Amino acid sequence: VIKCKAAVAWEAGKPLSLEEVEVAPPKAHEVRIKIVATAVCHTDAYTLSGADPEGCFPVILGHEGAGIVESVGEGVTKVKPGDTVIPLYIPQCGECKFCKNPKTNLCQKIRITQGKGVMPDGTSRFTCKGKQIYHFMGTSTFSEYTVVADISVAKIDAAAPLDKVCLLGCGISTGYGAAVNTAKVERGSTCAVFGLGGVGLAVIMGCKLAGASRIIGIDLNKDKYAKAKEFGATECISPQDFKKPIQEVLAEMTDGGVDYSFECIGNVGVMRAALEACHKGWGVSVIVGVAAAGQEISTRPFQLVTGRTWKGTAFGGWKSVDSVPKLVTEYMSKKIKVDEFVTHTLPFDKINEAFELMHAGK
């Protein structure tokens, strides 16, 4: 058993608490990882807020991390101690019907136990002050050591800087894949990206790499416009600057609507606007943001009857074990940006400050 520091969420709505936890050794088909770097994501904050119906407490959150394999359980063949890895919140077992289908990346092998905050055998590897602590998204990267299923880990280039590539565990991969895998943006097309946080910037990067000729960024926070343009946005607008709905503004700006739109916020009203900003006949809108539990989307069926398509994406459609190492290689060869997404680097004990910066849009 390893004793180490972890940021424990004892209950919803309270700041994380830095505690000494015990991390049990990996069982069969499990891997124990020394986490070197982790990022914070709105999904962690959503569960911490108490709004997540799958949220269980006490829990160690975090799902954008990178580290080194410390030990492996019986039967593990894909990685060995010393390997550099990224934990995966969407695993890839290679055996379930989802993994065998090229149309999806949503491996279901351990989905039920992962959703309940436990390892595939139904138990936890974390204890603190004599209490069992739940796992989160099968990764729990807010701990100096974590245990994951062997299908939830990707071995990557040992030379990759872990404080950067940890972002490929969720946000950057999600946005980039939404553009290139889910929407399949074509050269010369016009795109609109709603929400210019990390995921939105990654969508812009994907649209630009795909050869889009016009990329319109939409956000209420104008401080984000300069960064969006650095990533490839050709122009940025705020819905507050117009008297009419933003979908009408976009339709006027683009002679009838955009070819592709992306919702990167998780707001059902914005999802509707993003669909309705698409061009009649061929416009495609991709939902990337995660809305709160129980919320529903609406539009008039005529929007779809007249040729618009509504899609969604999880982890950008990447089959995780196969794709994450390739994404790291694309970063190392400078095809995709990663360093530019990092605004702050903080020590682990300042993790609550990291959440405050995220909520402040900084």
Side-chain angles (χ1 to χ4, degrees), residues 196-198 200-209 215-217 222-236 334-343:
L196 301 176
L201 294 176
V203 170
I204 290 172
M205 175 175 78
C207 292
K208 186 182 178 184
L209 281 167
I215 304 167
I216 305 164
K222 295 188 177 180
D223 295 342
K224 298 197 167 188
Y225 294 179
K227 197 80 165 168
K229 287 178 178 167
E230 193 186 312
F231 276 87
T234 51
E235 61 223 284
C236 294
K334 303 220 167 23
K335 183 186 169 188
I336 61 171
K337 294 183 194 307
V338 174
D339 298 10
E340 293 81 355
F341 286 88
V342 180
T343 54

Side-chain angles (χ1 to χ4, degrees), residues 16 38-49 61-65 89 136-137 139 141-142 166-167 169-172 174 197-199 264-265 288-290 315 351 354-359:
L16 301 177
T38 186
V40 296
C41 171
H42 277 285
T43 309
D44 303 306
Y46 168 60
T47 299
L48 185 58
S49 74
L61 299 169
H63 63 284
E64 282 185 321
Y89 72 90
F136 177 68
M137 290 175 79
T139 52
T141 60
F142 294 171
C166 61
L167 291 168
C170 177
I172 297 178
T174 297
V199 174
C264 307
I265 302 161
V288 193
V290 178
F315 195 54
I351 188 160
F355 276 92
E356 286 162 22
L357 287 162
M358 181 173 66
H359 287 306

Side-chain angles (χ1 to χ4, degrees), residues 15 26 62 93-94 120 122 125 141 159 195 211 245 257 274:
C93 72
R125 301 291 162 269
T141 60

Side-chain angles (χ1 to χ4, degrees), residues 96-251:
C96 70
K97 69 179 180 182
F98 287 78
C99 282
K100 287 179 170 167
N101 190 322
K103 294 178 181 174
T104 185
N105 63 328
L106 297 175
C107 172
Q108 297 295 293
K109 181 84 176 271
I110 59 173
R111 178 71 198 94
I112 292 170
T113 48
Q114 183 173 315
K116 289 178 178 162
V118 289
M119 294 300 288
D121 73 346
T123 63
S124 167
R125 301 291 162 269
F126 298 118
T127 46
C128 180
K129 298 177 181 171
K131 286 191 178 138
Q132 171 183 291
I133 308 292
Y134 287 109
H135 293 250
F136 177 68
M137 290 175 79
T139 52
S140 290
T141 60
F142 294 171
S143 174
E144 291 178 323
Y145 286 86
T146 189
V147 179
V148 305
D150 63 352
I151 59 171
S152 303
V153 63
K155 182 182 169 180
I156 61 161
D157 183 343
L162 301 188
D163 61 329
K164 305 294 194 293
V165 296
C166 61
L167 291 168
L168 293 169
C170 177
I172 297 178
S173 305
T174 297
Y176 176 43
V180 300
N181 296 332
T182 310
K184 296 186 168 60
V185 171
E186 299 125 338
R187 186 161 296 285
S189 54
T190 300
C191 303
V193 181
F194 292 77
L196 301 176
V199 174
L201 294 176
V203 170
I204 290 172
M205 175 175 78
C207 292
K208 186 182 178 184
L209 281 167
S213 60
R214 198 169 171 195
I215 304 167
I216 305 164
I218 300 120
D219 202 297
L220 299 174
N221 182 351
K222 295 188 177 180
D223 295 342
K224 298 197 167 188
Y225 294 179
K227 197 80 165 168
K229 287 178 178 167
E230 193 186 312
F231 276 87
T234 51
E235 61 223 284
C236 294
I237 57 174
S238 167
Q240 287 173 333
D241 290 346
F242 302 93
K243 295 267 195 303
K244 59 178 74 164
I246 193 69
Q247 53 266 54
E248 290 179 27
V249 174
L250 286 161

Side-chain angles (χ1 to χ4, degrees), residues 72-96:
V72 299
E74 196 187 328
V76 174
T77 54
K78 298 269 175 69
V79 293
K80 61 185 186 305
D83 283 350
T84 305
V85 294
I86 290 177
L88 307 166
Y89 72 90
I90 294 183
Q92 186 187 351
C93 72
E95 295 162 0
C96 70

